[in-house]
Amino acid sequence: MTTRSGSARYEGFGKDGKGHVSTQSGVLSDTPYAFNTRFGDEPGTNPEELIAAAHASCFTMALSFALARAGFSDGTIETSAKVTLDKDGDGFSITKSELDLKATIAGIDAEQFAAIAADAKANCPVSKVLNAEISLTHSLNS
């Protein structure tokens, strides 16, 4: 079993507050986040882009391992994710994560690729934790 951690600190409240987020690995270390990094263009991060990066990286790794199990060993896969935050009553909900996959894999046909990618989408751990619509579009260069 693997356990990873992250932490957040927020000073002040509401729109005037300023936060910092850190990860166990140190890749993020007191990285700023606040209302304007989430809903505006201020430099810093926000929970939705962190979830998008986590989903894209988790799915891509799951797909990589699935392709290896299927006997493929040569190619590249690149995934971007767009996470949607929608108004939900008095608050907000993450309602969608759109995965966009581009791949070049020697010797795979489009039908097999689509099936392996769909399985990776359904079974990567981040997909399993998200209670949102998850879509996948892909293009294959063979």
Side-chain angles (χ1 to χ4, degrees), residues 10-68:
Y10 215 77
E11 298 158 354
F13 299 115
K15 291 181 181 180
D16 295 328
K18 300 290 181 195
H20 295 86
V21 61
S22 298
T23 57
Q24 175 183 339
S25 67
V27 169
L28 297 179
S29 180
D30 284 330
T31 301
Y33 82 104
F35 179 84
N36 288 329
T37 66
R38 194 171 196 181
F39 298 103
D41 294 327
E42 192 172 291
T45 191
N46 60 71
E48 291 72 36
E49 78 176 5
L50 296 173
I51 291 169
H55 200 194
S57 61
C58 183
F59 165 76
T60 302
M61 185 179 282
L63 179 56
S64 171
F65 275 77
L67 289 163

Short mmCIF file of all heavy atoms in Angstrom, two decimals, residues 10-68:
data_model
loop_
_atom_site.label_atom_id
_atom_site.label_comp_id
_atom_site.label_asym_id
_atom_site.label_seq_id
_atom_site.Cartn_x
_atom_site.Cartn_y
_atom_site.Cartn_z
N TYR A 10 -4.03 28.39 4.72
CA TYR A 10 -4.74 29.57 4.23
C TYR A 10 -4.70 30.64 5.29
O TYR A 10 -5.05 30.39 6.45
CB TYR A 10 -6.19 29.21 3.89
CG TYR A 10 -6.75 29.96 2.70
CD1 TYR A 10 -6.41 29.59 1.42
CD2 TYR A 10 -7.62 31.02 2.88
CE1 TYR A 10 -6.91 30.27 0.32
CE2 TYR A 10 -8.14 31.70 1.79
CZ TYR A 10 -7.77 31.33 0.52
OH TYR A 10 -8.28 32.00 -0.57
N GLU A 11 -4.24 31.82 4.93
CA GLU A 11 -4.13 32.94 5.85
C GLU A 11 -5.12 34.01 5.43
O GLU A 11 -5.08 34.47 4.29
CB GLU A 11 -2.70 33.48 5.85
CG GLU A 11 -1.69 32.44 6.31
CD GLU A 11 -0.28 32.70 5.83
OE1 GLU A 11 -0.07 33.64 5.04
OE2 GLU A 11 0.61 31.95 6.24
N GLY A 12 -5.99 34.40 6.34
CA GLY A 12 -7.08 35.29 5.99
C GLY A 12 -8.25 34.46 5.50
O GLY A 12 -8.14 33.24 5.35
N PHE A 13 -9.36 35.12 5.21
CA PHE A 13 -10.55 34.37 4.84
C PHE A 13 -11.18 34.92 3.57
O PHE A 13 -11.01 36.08 3.22
CB PHE A 13 -11.57 34.40 6.00
CG PHE A 13 -11.03 33.78 7.25
CD1 PHE A 13 -10.82 34.55 8.39
CD2 PHE A 13 -10.70 32.44 7.29
CE1 PHE A 13 -10.31 33.99 9.54
CE2 PHE A 13 -10.18 31.87 8.44
CZ PHE A 13 -9.99 32.64 9.57
N GLY A 14 -11.92 34.04 2.90
CA GLY A 14 -12.66 34.44 1.71
C GLY A 14 -11.75 34.92 0.60
O GLY A 14 -10.60 34.48 0.45
N LYS A 15 -12.26 35.85 -0.18
CA LYS A 15 -11.53 36.36 -1.35
C LYS A 15 -10.23 37.06 -0.98
O LYS A 15 -9.32 37.14 -1.78
CB LYS A 15 -12.41 37.31 -2.16
CG LYS A 15 -13.56 36.64 -2.85
CD LYS A 15 -14.38 37.63 -3.65
CE LYS A 15 -15.55 36.94 -4.33
NZ LYS A 15 -16.35 37.88 -5.12
N ASP A 16 -10.14 37.57 0.25
CA ASP A 16 -8.93 38.28 0.66
C ASP A 16 -7.84 37.34 1.19
O ASP A 16 -6.70 37.75 1.36
CB ASP A 16 -9.27 39.30 1.75
CG ASP A 16 -10.18 40.40 1.22
OD1 ASP A 16 -10.08 40.73 0.02
OD2 ASP A 16 -11.01 40.89 2.00
N GLY A 17 -8.18 36.09 1.42
CA GLY A 17 -7.21 35.14 1.96
C GLY A 17 -6.19 34.72 0.92
O GLY A 17 -6.40 34.84 -0.29
N LYS A 18 -5.08 34.21 1.41
CA LYS A 18 -4.01 33.70 0.55
C LYS A 18 -3.60 32.34 1.09
O LYS A 18 -3.42 32.17 2.30
CB LYS A 18 -2.80 34.63 0.55
CG LYS A 18 -3.09 36.05 0.06
CD LYS A 18 -3.36 36.09 -1.42
CE LYS A 18 -3.61 37.52 -1.86
NZ LYS A 18 -4.21 37.61 -3.15
N GLY A 19 -3.41 31.40 0.20
CA GLY A 19 -3.05 30.06 0.60
C GLY A 19 -1.74 29.61 -0.01
O GLY A 19 -1.22 30.22 -0.94
N HIS A 20 -1.25 28.50 0.53
CA HIS A 20 -0.05 27.84 0.03
C HIS A 20 -0.28 26.35 0.10
O HIS A 20 -0.84 25.85 1.09
CB HIS A 20 1.18 28.24 0.84
CG HIS A 20 1.52 29.68 0.71
ND1 HIS A 20 0.96 30.66 1.49
CD2 HIS A 20 2.34 30.32 -0.17
CE1 HIS A 20 1.42 31.84 1.13
NE2 HIS A 20 2.26 31.67 0.12
N VAL A 21 0.14 25.64 -0.92
CA VAL A 21 -0.03 24.20 -0.98
C VAL A 21 1.34 23.56 -1.17
O VAL A 21 2.21 24.10 -1.87
CB VAL A 21 -1.02 23.80 -2.11
CG1 VAL A 21 -0.55 24.22 -3.46
CG2 VAL A 21 -1.35 22.33 -2.07
N SER A 22 1.54 22.42 -0.51
CA SER A 22 2.81 21.69 -0.60
C SER A 22 2.52 20.20 -0.78
O SER A 22 1.47 19.71 -0.38
CB SER A 22 3.64 21.88 0.68
OG SER A 22 3.98 23.24 0.86
N THR A 23 3.48 19.50 -1.36
CA THR A 23 3.37 18.05 -1.52
C THR A 23 4.51 17.37 -0.79
O THR A 23 5.57 17.96 -0.58
CB THR A 23 3.40 17.65 -3.01
OG1 THR A 23 4.61 18.13 -3.59
CG2 THR A 23 2.20 18.20 -3.76
N GLN A 24 4.27 16.12 -0.44
CA GLN A 24 5.26 15.31 0.27
C GLN A 24 6.59 15.27 -0.46
O GLN A 24 7.65 15.36 0.15
CB GLN A 24 4.70 13.89 0.43
CG GLN A 24 5.63 12.89 1.04
CD GLN A 24 5.00 11.50 1.08
OE1 GLN A 24 3.80 11.35 1.03
NE2 GLN A 24 5.83 10.49 1.18
N SER A 25 6.55 15.16 -1.79
CA SER A 25 7.78 15.04 -2.57
C SER A 25 8.56 16.36 -2.62
O SER A 25 9.74 16.36 -2.97
CB SER A 25 7.46 14.62 -4.00
OG SER A 25 6.75 15.65 -4.67
N GLY A 26 7.91 17.46 -2.34
CA GLY A 26 8.54 18.77 -2.43
C GLY A 26 8.41 19.41 -3.81
O GLY A 26 8.88 20.53 -4.01
N VAL A 27 7.78 18.73 -4.75
CA VAL A 27 7.58 19.31 -6.08
C VAL A 27 6.79 20.61 -5.96
O VAL A 27 7.10 21.59 -6.63
CB VAL A 27 6.88 18.31 -7.03
CG1 VAL A 27 6.43 18.99 -8.30
CG2 VAL A 27 7.81 17.16 -7.35
N LEU A 28 5.79 20.60 -5.09
CA LEU A 28 5.11 21.84 -4.71
C LEU A 28 5.54 22.16 -3.30
O LEU A 28 5.43 21.31 -2.41
CB LEU A 28 3.59 21.69 -4.76
CG LEU A 28 2.96 21.39 -6.11
CD1 LEU A 28 1.44 21.26 -5.95
CD2 LEU A 28 3.28 22.46 -7.12
N SER A 29 6.04 23.34 -3.08
CA SER A 29 6.49 23.74 -1.75
C SER A 29 6.04 25.18 -1.50
O SER A 29 6.57 26.11 -2.10
CB SER A 29 8.02 23.63 -1.65
OG SER A 29 8.46 24.02 -0.37
N ASP A 30 5.04 25.32 -0.67
CA ASP A 30 4.45 26.62 -0.40
C ASP A 30 4.04 27.34 -1.69
O ASP A 30 4.20 28.55 -1.83
CB ASP A 30 5.39 27.50 0.44
CG ASP A 30 5.41 27.08 1.89
OD1 ASP A 30 4.37 26.57 2.38
OD2 ASP A 30 6.44 27.27 2.55
N THR A 31 3.51 26.59 -2.64
CA THR A 31 3.03 27.15 -3.91
C THR A 31 1.75 27.93 -3.64
O THR A 31 0.82 27.42 -3.01
CB THR A 31 2.76 26.02 -4.92
OG1 THR A 31 3.98 25.30 -5.11
CG2 THR A 31 2.28 26.57 -6.25
N PRO A 32 1.68 29.19 -4.08
CA PRO A 32 0.52 30.01 -3.77
C PRO A 32 -0.76 29.54 -4.47
O PRO A 32 -0.73 29.06 -5.59
CB PRO A 32 0.91 31.41 -4.24
CG PRO A 32 2.07 31.24 -5.13
CD PRO A 32 2.69 29.91 -4.84
N TYR A 33 -1.85 29.70 -3.72
CA TYR A 33 -3.18 29.55 -4.31
C TYR A 33 -4.13 30.45 -3.53
O TYR A 33 -3.91 30.74 -2.36
CB TYR A 33 -3.65 28.09 -4.33
CG TYR A 33 -4.23 27.56 -3.04
CD1 TYR A 33 -5.60 27.40 -2.90
CD2 TYR A 33 -3.42 27.21 -1.97
CE1 TYR A 33 -6.14 26.90 -1.72
CE2 TYR A 33 -3.95 26.71 -0.80
CZ TYR A 33 -5.32 26.56 -0.67
OH TYR A 33 -5.85 26.08 0.49
N ALA A 34 -5.15 30.94 -4.22
CA ALA A 34 -6.12 31.85 -3.61
C ALA A 34 -7.31 31.98 -4.55
O ALA A 34 -7.35 31.35 -5.61
CB ALA A 34 -5.47 33.22 -3.38
N PHE A 35 -8.25 32.80 -4.18
CA PHE A 35 -9.43 33.02 -5.00
C PHE A 35 -9.05 33.41 -6.42
O PHE A 35 -9.58 32.89 -7.39
CB PHE A 35 -10.33 34.10 -4.37
CG PHE A 35 -11.55 34.39 -5.18
CD1 PHE A 35 -12.68 33.61 -5.04
CD2 PHE A 35 -11.57 35.44 -6.10
CE1 PHE A 35 -13.82 33.87 -5.79
CE2 PHE A 35 -12.70 35.70 -6.85
CZ PHE A 35 -13.83 34.91 -6.70
N ASN A 36 -8.08 34.32 -6.56
CA ASN A 36 -7.72 34.82 -7.90
C ASN A 36 -6.88 33.85 -8.70
O ASN A 36 -6.78 33.98 -9.92
CB ASN A 36 -7.03 36.18 -7.79
CG ASN A 36 -8.02 37.27 -7.43
OD1 ASN A 36 -9.19 37.20 -7.79
ND2 ASN A 36 -7.56 38.26 -6.69
N THR A 37 -6.25 32.85 -8.08
CA THR A 37 -5.57 31.81 -8.86
C THR A 37 -6.57 30.75 -9.29
O THR A 37 -6.31 30.01 -10.24
CB THR A 37 -4.43 31.14 -8.07
OG1 THR A 37 -4.96 30.40 -6.97
CG2 THR A 37 -3.41 32.15 -7.60
N ARG A 38 -7.70 30.68 -8.58
CA ARG A 38 -8.72 29.69 -8.90
C ARG A 38 -9.73 30.23 -9.91
O ARG A 38 -10.15 29.54 -10.82
CB ARG A 38 -9.43 29.28 -7.62
CG ARG A 38 -10.28 28.05 -7.74
CD ARG A 38 -10.76 27.59 -6.40
NE ARG A 38 -11.25 26.22 -6.47
CZ ARG A 38 -11.74 25.58 -5.44
NH1 ARG A 38 -11.80 26.16 -4.26
NH2 ARG A 38 -12.17 24.35 -5.58
N PHE A 39 -10.14 31.47 -9.73
CA PHE A 39 -11.19 32.04 -10.57
C PHE A 39 -10.70 33.19 -11.44
O PHE A 39 -11.47 33.75 -12.22
CB PHE A 39 -12.36 32.53 -9.69
CG PHE A 39 -13.01 31.40 -8.93
CD1 PHE A 39 -12.75 31.24 -7.58
CD2 PHE A 39 -13.84 30.51 -9.56
CE1 PHE A 39 -13.34 30.20 -6.87
CE2 PHE A 39 -14.44 29.46 -8.86
CZ PHE A 39 -14.19 29.31 -7.51
N GLY A 40 -9.45 33.54 -11.32
CA GLY A 40 -8.88 34.62 -12.12
C GLY A 40 -7.59 34.17 -12.78
O GLY A 40 -7.37 32.98 -12.99
N ASP A 41 -6.72 35.11 -13.07
CA ASP A 41 -5.48 34.82 -13.79
C ASP A 41 -4.24 35.08 -12.96
O ASP A 41 -3.14 35.18 -13.50
CB ASP A 41 -5.41 35.64 -15.08
CG ASP A 41 -6.49 35.24 -16.07
OD1 ASP A 41 -6.85 34.05 -16.10
OD2 ASP A 41 -6.99 36.12 -16.80
N GLU A 42 -4.38 35.22 -11.66
CA GLU A 42 -3.23 35.48 -10.79
C GLU A 42 -2.29 34.27 -10.80
O GLU A 42 -2.75 33.13 -10.83
CB GLU A 42 -3.74 35.75 -9.37
CG GLU A 42 -2.70 36.31 -8.44
CD GLU A 42 -3.33 36.73 -7.11
OE1 GLU A 42 -4.11 37.70 -7.12
OE2 GLU A 42 -3.05 36.06 -6.11
N PRO A 43 -0.97 34.49 -10.79
CA PRO A 43 -0.04 33.36 -10.77
C PRO A 43 -0.22 32.50 -9.52
O PRO A 43 -0.46 33.00 -8.43
CB PRO A 43 1.34 34.03 -10.75
CG PRO A 43 1.12 35.41 -11.26
CD PRO A 43 -0.28 35.78 -10.84
N GLY A 44 -0.13 31.22 -9.70
CA GLY A 44 -0.30 30.25 -8.63
C GLY A 44 -1.09 29.07 -9.15
O GLY A 44 -1.34 28.95 -10.34
N THR A 45 -1.48 28.20 -8.26
CA THR A 45 -2.20 27.00 -8.67
C THR A 45 -3.61 27.02 -8.11
O THR A 45 -4.04 28.01 -7.51
CB THR A 45 -1.44 25.73 -8.25
OG1 THR A 45 -2.02 24.61 -8.89
CG2 THR A 45 -1.41 25.53 -6.74
N ASN A 46 -4.34 25.94 -8.32
CA ASN A 46 -5.68 25.78 -7.76
C ASN A 46 -6.02 24.30 -7.72
O ASN A 46 -5.40 23.49 -8.43
CB ASN A 46 -6.70 26.59 -8.57
CG ASN A 46 -6.75 26.16 -10.00
OD1 ASN A 46 -7.24 25.08 -10.31
ND2 ASN A 46 -6.22 27.00 -10.89
N PRO A 47 -6.98 23.92 -6.91
CA PRO A 47 -7.31 22.49 -6.79
C PRO A 47 -7.69 21.83 -8.11
O PRO A 47 -7.32 20.68 -8.37
CB PRO A 47 -8.48 22.48 -5.80
CG PRO A 47 -8.28 23.71 -4.98
CD PRO A 47 -7.72 24.73 -5.94
N GLU A 48 -8.40 22.55 -8.97
CA GLU A 48 -8.87 21.93 -10.21
C GLU A 48 -7.72 21.60 -11.16
O GLU A 48 -7.71 20.53 -11.78
CB GLU A 48 -9.90 22.84 -10.91
CG GLU A 48 -11.21 22.93 -10.15
CD GLU A 48 -11.13 23.75 -8.87
OE1 GLU A 48 -10.39 24.77 -8.83
OE2 GLU A 48 -11.80 23.37 -7.90
N GLU A 49 -6.72 22.48 -11.29
CA GLU A 49 -5.60 22.15 -12.17
C GLU A 49 -4.75 21.04 -11.56
O GLU A 49 -4.17 20.23 -12.29
CB GLU A 49 -4.77 23.37 -12.55
CG GLU A 49 -3.80 23.86 -11.52
CD GLU A 49 -2.95 25.02 -12.02
OE1 GLU A 49 -3.16 25.53 -13.14
OE2 GLU A 49 -2.06 25.42 -11.27
N LEU A 50 -4.70 20.96 -10.24
CA LEU A 50 -3.97 19.86 -9.61
C LEU A 50 -4.69 18.54 -9.85
O LEU A 50 -4.04 17.51 -10.13
CB LEU A 50 -3.79 20.12 -8.11
CG LEU A 50 -2.93 21.34 -7.76
CD1 LEU A 50 -2.97 21.61 -6.26
CD2 LEU A 50 -1.50 21.15 -8.24
N ILE A 51 -6.02 18.55 -9.78
CA ILE A 51 -6.79 17.33 -10.08
C ILE A 51 -6.63 16.97 -11.56
O ILE A 51 -6.48 15.79 -11.90
CB ILE A 51 -8.26 17.51 -9.69
CG1 ILE A 51 -8.38 17.56 -8.16
CG2 ILE A 51 -9.13 16.39 -10.26
CD1 ILE A 51 -9.74 17.98 -7.66
N ALA A 52 -6.64 17.96 -12.44
CA ALA A 52 -6.46 17.70 -13.88
C ALA A 52 -5.10 17.06 -14.12
O ALA A 52 -4.98 16.08 -14.88
CB ALA A 52 -6.61 18.99 -14.69
N ALA A 53 -4.05 17.59 -13.50
CA ALA A 53 -2.71 17.01 -13.67
C ALA A 53 -2.65 15.60 -13.10
O ALA A 53 -2.06 14.69 -13.70
CB ALA A 53 -1.66 17.91 -13.01
N ALA A 54 -3.29 15.41 -11.95
CA ALA A 54 -3.31 14.07 -11.34
C ALA A 54 -4.06 13.08 -12.23
O ALA A 54 -3.61 11.95 -12.43
CB ALA A 54 -3.96 14.14 -9.95
N HIS A 55 -5.19 13.51 -12.79
CA HIS A 55 -5.97 12.60 -13.63
C HIS A 55 -5.22 12.27 -14.92
O HIS A 55 -5.14 11.10 -15.33
CB HIS A 55 -7.34 13.21 -13.93
CG HIS A 55 -8.35 12.21 -14.38
ND1 HIS A 55 -9.53 12.57 -14.95
CD2 HIS A 55 -8.36 10.86 -14.33
CE1 HIS A 55 -10.23 11.48 -15.24
NE2 HIS A 55 -9.52 10.43 -14.89
N ALA A 56 -4.65 13.29 -15.57
CA ALA A 56 -3.90 13.05 -16.81
C ALA A 56 -2.73 12.11 -16.56
O ALA A 56 -2.49 11.17 -17.34
CB ALA A 56 -3.42 14.37 -17.40
N SER A 57 -1.99 12.33 -15.48
CA SER A 57 -0.81 11.50 -15.23
C SER A 57 -1.20 10.10 -14.80
O SER A 57 -0.56 9.12 -15.22
CB SER A 57 0.12 12.16 -14.20
OG SER A 57 -0.53 12.33 -12.96
N CYS A 58 -2.24 9.95 -14.00
CA CYS A 58 -2.68 8.62 -13.57
C CYS A 58 -3.18 7.80 -14.76
O CYS A 58 -2.79 6.65 -14.95
CB CYS A 58 -3.78 8.78 -12.52
SG CYS A 58 -4.38 7.23 -11.83
N PHE A 59 -4.04 8.41 -15.57
CA PHE A 59 -4.57 7.72 -16.75
C PHE A 59 -3.44 7.33 -17.71
O PHE A 59 -3.41 6.21 -18.22
CB PHE A 59 -5.59 8.61 -17.47
CG PHE A 59 -5.90 8.14 -18.86
CD1 PHE A 59 -6.72 7.05 -19.07
CD2 PHE A 59 -5.34 8.77 -19.96
CE1 PHE A 59 -6.99 6.58 -20.35
CE2 PHE A 59 -5.60 8.32 -21.24
CZ PHE A 59 -6.43 7.23 -21.44
N THR A 60 -2.51 8.24 -17.95
CA THR A 60 -1.43 7.97 -18.89
C THR A 60 -0.56 6.81 -18.41
O THR A 60 -0.18 5.94 -19.19
CB THR A 60 -0.58 9.25 -19.11
OG1 THR A 60 -1.45 10.28 -19.59
CG2 THR A 60 0.53 9.02 -20.12
N MET A 61 -0.28 6.78 -17.10
CA MET A 61 0.50 5.67 -16.57
C MET A 61 -0.29 4.36 -16.63
O MET A 61 0.27 3.31 -17.02
CB MET A 61 0.93 5.94 -15.13
CG MET A 61 1.85 4.85 -14.57
SD MET A 61 2.37 5.19 -12.88
CE MET A 61 3.64 6.42 -13.19
N ALA A 62 -1.57 4.40 -16.31
CA ALA A 62 -2.41 3.19 -16.40
C ALA A 62 -2.44 2.67 -17.83
O ALA A 62 -2.34 1.46 -18.08
CB ALA A 62 -3.82 3.49 -15.90
N LEU A 63 -2.57 3.57 -18.80
CA LEU A 63 -2.59 3.18 -20.20
C LEU A 63 -1.24 2.60 -20.61
O LEU A 63 -1.18 1.59 -21.32
CB LEU A 63 -2.95 4.38 -21.08
CG LEU A 63 -2.99 4.13 -22.59
CD1 LEU A 63 -3.94 3.00 -22.96
CD2 LEU A 63 -3.36 5.42 -23.32
N SER A 64 -0.16 3.19 -20.16
CA SER A 64 1.17 2.69 -20.47
C SER A 64 1.35 1.25 -20.00
O SER A 64 1.85 0.39 -20.74
CB SER A 64 2.22 3.60 -19.82
OG SER A 64 3.51 3.03 -19.93
N PHE A 65 0.92 0.98 -18.78
CA PHE A 65 1.05 -0.38 -18.24
C PHE A 65 0.11 -1.35 -18.97
O PHE A 65 0.48 -2.50 -19.22
CB PHE A 65 0.80 -0.38 -16.73
CG PHE A 65 2.03 -0.05 -15.94
CD1 PHE A 65 2.45 1.27 -15.84
CD2 PHE A 65 2.77 -1.03 -15.31
CE1 PHE A 65 3.60 1.60 -15.13
CE2 PHE A 65 3.91 -0.72 -14.59
CZ PHE A 65 4.33 0.60 -14.50
N ALA A 66 -1.09 -0.89 -19.33
CA ALA A 66 -2.03 -1.74 -20.06
C ALA A 66 -1.48 -2.08 -21.45
O ALA A 66 -1.60 -3.22 -21.91
CB ALA A 66 -3.38 -1.06 -20.18
N LEU A 67 -0.86 -1.11 -22.11
CA LEU A 67 -0.26 -1.37 -23.42
C LEU A 67 0.91 -2.35 -23.29
O LEU A 67 1.07 -3.25 -24.13
CB LEU A 67 0.19 -0.06 -24.07
CG LEU A 67 -0.94 0.84 -24.55
CD1 LEU A 67 -0.44 2.26 -24.79
CD2 LEU A 67 -1.60 0.26 -25.80
N ALA A 68 1.70 -2.21 -22.25
CA ALA A 68 2.81 -3.15 -22.03
C ALA A 68 2.28 -4.56 -21.80
O ALA A 68 2.82 -5.53 -22.35
CB ALA A 68 3.67 -2.69 -20.85
#
